[in-house]
Amino acid sequence: MKLFPSLPLALAMAALTPTLAAAQDDGAETCIAVPDPVVSLSYGSRYTDESEDRSDFDEDSNAAVNEALGPIDDFIQELASKANEAVRGDQAAADCVTDAILQWAEADALSELETMNARISSPARIAGIAMAYLQVKEAADLDPDAAETIDSWLVARARAAADYFDRDAPPGSSRNNLRAWAGLAAASVGEAADDDYLKSWAAHTTAVIACQADEDGALPLEMARGPRALHYQLHAVAPLVVSAALLDDDGYSLFDNCDGGIHRVVEFIPRAFENPELVTEKAGEDQTYFAGDDELASFELAWADAYLSLFEAPDLEAFVEEYRPLGNSKLGGSQSAIW
């Protein structure tokens, strides 16, 4: 499977399509209003001090984290949207994405992570930026010096995350969904910058997480999250599947590891929603999805298209159908555009 197989054809078609050509000439309308680069991050936990399973939000703390991450997440959404336009044939959109990322790279954004919570949550943001960059790098009119600046910045950020999760992350975070997102940062940056170390680290990390799956596909560290266990299982599935799919052409048979650990993790999702008792028994509590506190959202299932691009999975296909179109900015935006 080749990532973004439609990109060369889309760009060729764009040259022959007057409406797209006109859009490409109007750079002022298509480019991103780049926010000031966020260099430093410092915030605490979203959860109350009394929440042993890290499932009970502290309203004020949660709001503070969202405020700190909001500008970054908004930027990633803009990058993903423009990257998807590029994949569909808009050359100007490709240039907008690289120009925007270059400004953050030149400022060495996200290089000063001052708290543990900033360090464990930033890799998902690095992944989102890298997934946008990966879609447009070959199509953009990017000079070698600019490409080197972006590549070096992303590699430095992804390697810093890898080092943190290997050396300093808390025991749970070093093996749960948070490490899986660091794995996706490494996989996407590794692909974009052709960094073999990051690809290898991403492959190892994906195996570390997937090989914990029990015979049903549940991840024990996520099942320990009380009423939000299924939420965190979903949060782990996304980077596991997309990392494995990204690395599939690099000689890493990650879907085969641990007797198909990732396959079991994927298959657990539709089964859990069809049979809530399966999760309740493992987590020891009713899940927020089934108690009416949460609603399953399209972005939580966006990884399905990467999986379905490689494997036939009728149960998963049927399960996600009502949630289409599938998209998640940290996975690169519109999944149909990518996979």
Side-chain angles (χ1 to χ4, degrees):
M1 188 281 301
K2 185 175 177 59
L3 184 65
F4 316 136
S6 62
L7 182 53
L9 176 60
L11 289 174
M13 291 298 292
L16 303 175
T17 306
T19 55
L20 280 177
Q24 290 169 4
D25 289 337
D26 191 359
E29 290 188 10
T30 60
C31 277
I32 297 166
V34 182
D36 291 338
V38 177
V39 177
S40 300
L41 281 175
S42 177
Y43 46 82
S45 172
R46 295 179 183 272
Y47 306 101
T48 64
D49 293 339
E50 296 77 22
S51 182
E52 294 183 3
D53 60 12
R54 317 306 284 164
S55 66
D56 299 311
F57 288 118
D58 178 285
E59 186 174 339
D60 291 338
S61 296
N62 190 43
V65 174
N66 289 338
E67 183 178 0
L69 292 174
I72 306 169
D73 290 343
D74 290 346
F75 182 46
I76 291 169
Q77 289 177 12
E78 290 280 354
L79 291 175
S81 178
K82 286 298 178 189
N84 295 161
E85 290 176 21
V87 170
R88 295 184 178 110
D90 188 339
Q91 174 70 51
D95 294 336
C96 287
V97 171
T98 54
D99 288 348
I101 295 175
L102 179 61
Q103 293 182 48
W104 277 47
E106 290 175 335
D108 201 14
L110 303 177
S111 59
E112 298 175 10
L113 306 177
E114 299 175 1
T115 62
M116 180 269 289
N117 287 284
R119 292 186 180 97
I120 63 177
S121 58
S122 62
R125 279 76 195 173
I126 297 299
I129 294 169
M131 288 296 291
Y133 181 52
L134 187 55
Q135 291 176 70
V136 305
K137 183 179 181 181
E138 297 304 319
D141 184 15
L142 188 63
D143 71 64
D145 288 343
E148 174 61 26
T149 297
I150 295 173
D151 288 357
S152 296
W153 172 63
L154 287 172
V155 167
R157 300 283 66 75
R159 288 197 176 207
D163 186 63
Y164 176 76
F165 276 88
D166 278 346
R167 297 173 182 270
D168 300 317
S173 300
S174 68
R175 299 174 61 243
N176 70 3
N177 67 83
L178 294 162
R179 185 184 180 108
W181 281 100
L184 180 57
S188 52
V189 173
E191 289 292 315
D194 195 23
D195 187 295
D196 288 337
Y197 171 80
L198 286 174
K199 293 178 189 178
S200 177
W201 192 87
H204 169 71
T205 279
T206 301
V208 164
I209 310 301
C211 290
Q212 298 174 48
D214 68 18
E215 61 182 9
D216 293 317
L219 294 166
L221 290 175
E222 313 311 333
M223 291 299 105
R225 300 298 292 273
R228 296 179 62 80
L230 186 52
H231 168 85
Y232 287 106
Q233 172 94 8
L234 278 163
H235 199 50
V237 175
L240 286 179
V241 168
V242 176
S243 293
L246 285 175
L247 297 170
D248 193 60
D249 281 346
D250 290 298
Y252 296 103
S253 300
L254 297 174
F255 289 101
D256 297 331
N257 284 355
C258 298
D259 296 322
I262 295 178
H263 293 302
R264 296 198 307 278
V265 170
V266 166
E267 291 161 2
F268 182 79
I269 298 304
R271 290 176 57 215
F273 280 92
E274 291 164 9
N275 178 20
E277 291 78 13
L278 179 63
V279 190
T280 302
E281 181 180 346
K282 295 177 183 294
E285 295 188 53
D286 292 336
Q287 296 300 291
T288 56
Y289 291 112
F290 311 130
D293 299 321
D294 279 323
E295 257 185 58
L296 183 61
S298 171
F299 79 89
E300 295 176 287
L301 298 171
W303 48 269
D305 275 339
Y307 188 82
L308 292 168
S309 74
L310 293 169
F311 306 103
E312 291 186 8
D315 290 344
L316 179 63
E317 180 74 70
F319 179 68
V320 302
E321 185 61 32
E322 69 176 284
Y323 296 93
R324 292 188 178 280
L326 303 179
N328 184 328
S329 60
K330 294 182 182 66
L331 300 181
S334 169
Q335 298 302 285
S336 64
I338 297 174
W339 302 101

